[in-house]
Amino acid sequence: MVKYFAKRLGMMLAAMLAIIVLTFCLMHAVPGGPFTSDRKATPEVEAALNEKFGLNDPLPVQLLRYMDGLLHGDFGPSYKYSGKTVNDFIETFFPVSAKIGLITVVFVLLAAIPMGIFAAVKNGKWQDMLIMAVATIGVTIPSFVIASLLIYFFSHQLGWTPAYWDWSAAGYILPVVALGGYSVSYLARLMRSSLLEVMGQDYIRTARAKGLSEFQVITRHALRNALLPIITVLGPTVAGLLTGSFVIETIFAIPGLGKWFVNGVSQRDYTTIMGITIFYAAFLMAMTLIVDIFYCLIDPRIKYES
């Protein structure tokens, strides 16, 4: 297993290097710069700012300087907010995204897994068709449409929840539902199909022949293997939820990492875009590695040495 994870870490470092170089090149290939959209800046001021931040240097020099900062844990200064660094943005706004994302992860797991199990148990009946219809709608409708509908009905029409996020308990309801709607629908469908496949295996028939109840068959024998596909997609799902949704955070005015990424894109803040992209990529790779570790714990048949 040590060799396997050492190889995985090497692959992660290579992928991270490729992401850094690609993102850097794409940012500088876009016409204009972080100071060209500022109407208050005269050409002389713009030239002075470019010189201050080293944007007049050749691209290889800028890239090496940026990578040297990354090795020291420095994502660089913000070009649009004086006195602020990308590290400040991540330290300040990532906890907000992570808190909402963590609540959403709990909501997704508590909703999707029971829905998928219940649909599989009621396979072919009206309960199964109803759950799958709701899940299909949740998968096909974009999250920003779900968010808009939730705000319209539950905030403007019924007045049950605030239209925008705040620190109250009610302020979390609509963002969590909108953020987790797709994941609940997708994981519920995946849980159902996985459990149905497992329930058709020979060892399940043997367990039933021993006189075990259907509840015991599912919880003791079927559920553990049926959860493997869920765990496979759970790593990227959790990473996406914890780092924040760009669209959902913008709609609900959530001061999270996703909203600042959108601001960075609209303002061409190179370092903010690159820093959040690299941070997200590293987080996603770490979650994927953790998923592989859980595979060993859940399914002892998996041997990484082979």
Side-chain angles (χ1 to χ4, degrees):
M1 184 181 294
V2 176
K3 286 185 177 181
Y4 172 81
F5 286 109
K7 183 179 180 180
R8 282 294 305 272
L9 289 175
M11 294 172 61
M12 290 170 60
L13 291 176
M16 184 59 63
L17 178 61
I19 291 173
I20 294 172
V21 174
L22 181 61
T23 307
F24 182 88
C25 294
L26 289 176
M27 288 299 97
H28 289 79
V30 176
F35 308 115
T36 55
S37 61
D38 194 345
R39 298 180 180 179
K40 297 181 181 179
T42 62
E44 293 78 10
V45 173
E46 182 180 337
L49 290 173
N50 288 331
E51 184 67 27
K52 174 184 177 181
F53 290 106
L55 297 179
N56 293 328
D57 296 335
L59 288 183
V61 175
Q62 296 184 47
L63 177 59
L64 291 176
R65 182 169 58 240
Y66 183 76
M67 293 182 66
D68 179 68
L70 289 179
L71 292 176
H72 295 84
D74 182 13
F75 288 99
S78 171
Y79 294 154
K80 303 299 293 186
Y81 297 91
S82 179
K84 294 291 185 179
T85 65
V86 181
N87 293 63
D88 295 332
F89 291 152
I90 295 176
E91 293 173 1
T92 303
F93 302 111
F94 175 67
V96 178
S97 297
K99 183 177 181 180
I100 296 177
L102 186 60
I103 297 174
T104 306
V105 169
V106 175
F107 162 69
V108 168
L109 294 178
L110 292 180
I113 294 178
M115 283 175 60
I117 295 174
F118 187 72
V121 172
K122 300 294 183 179
N123 183 31
K125 298 182 180 180
W126 68 268
Q127 297 96 330
D128 176 31
M129 291 185 286
L130 177 61
I131 292 176
M132 287 301 99
V134 173
T136 301
I137 294 174
V139 170
T140 54
I141 298 180
S143 60
F144 66 88
V145 176
I146 296 178
S148 302
L149 292 175
L150 290 174
I151 292 174
Y152 177 76
F153 285 108
F154 293 99
S155 180
H156 292 290
Q157 295 296 321
L158 300 176
W160 292 353
T161 59
Y164 299 99
W165 175 83
D166 56 31
W167 290 100
S168 65
Y172 283 91
I173 296 176
L174 296 189
V176 166
V177 174
L179 184 60
Y182 174 84
S183 298
V184 169
S185 303
Y186 178 75
L187 292 181
R189 292 170 60 89
L190 185 61
M191 184 73 234
R192 174 186 177 273
S193 60
S194 177
L195 186 57
L196 286 177
E197 181 180 357
V198 171
M199 294 294 285
Q201 300 296 323
D202 292 337
Y203 71 92
I204 298 297
R205 299 190 186 96
T206 303
R208 286 171 174 164
K210 292 180 179 179
L212 296 178
S213 65
E214 195 68 13
F215 178 80
Q216 291 175 321
V217 170
I218 293 175
T219 56
R220 293 185 182 181
H221 300 279
L223 191 57
R224 185 171 185 177
N225 290 329
L227 284 174
L228 289 177
I230 301 294
I231 296 175
T232 303
V233 301
L234 199 58
T237 301
V238 171
L241 295 177
L242 290 181
T243 51
S245 169
F246 307 151
V247 176
I248 298 301
E249 290 188 359
T250 302
I251 292 176
F252 289 100
I254 300 173
L257 202 58
K259 182 181 179 181
W260 281 99
F261 182 85
V262 175
N263 291 340
V265 172
S266 62
Q267 297 174 352
R268 299 180 183 179
D269 195 348
Y270 292 162
T271 51
T272 299
I273 299 171
M274 292 184 59
I276 296 178
T277 301
I278 294 169
F279 178 79
Y280 176 82
F283 199 88
L284 178 60
M285 292 179 186
M287 292 304 302
T288 305
L289 185 61
I290 292 174
V291 166
D292 290 343
I293 296 175
F294 272 104
Y295 261 103
C296 280
L297 302 177
I298 293 179
D299 191 351
R301 296 172 299 177
I302 298 176
K303 302 295 182 182
Y304 288 117
E305 288 82 354
S306 59

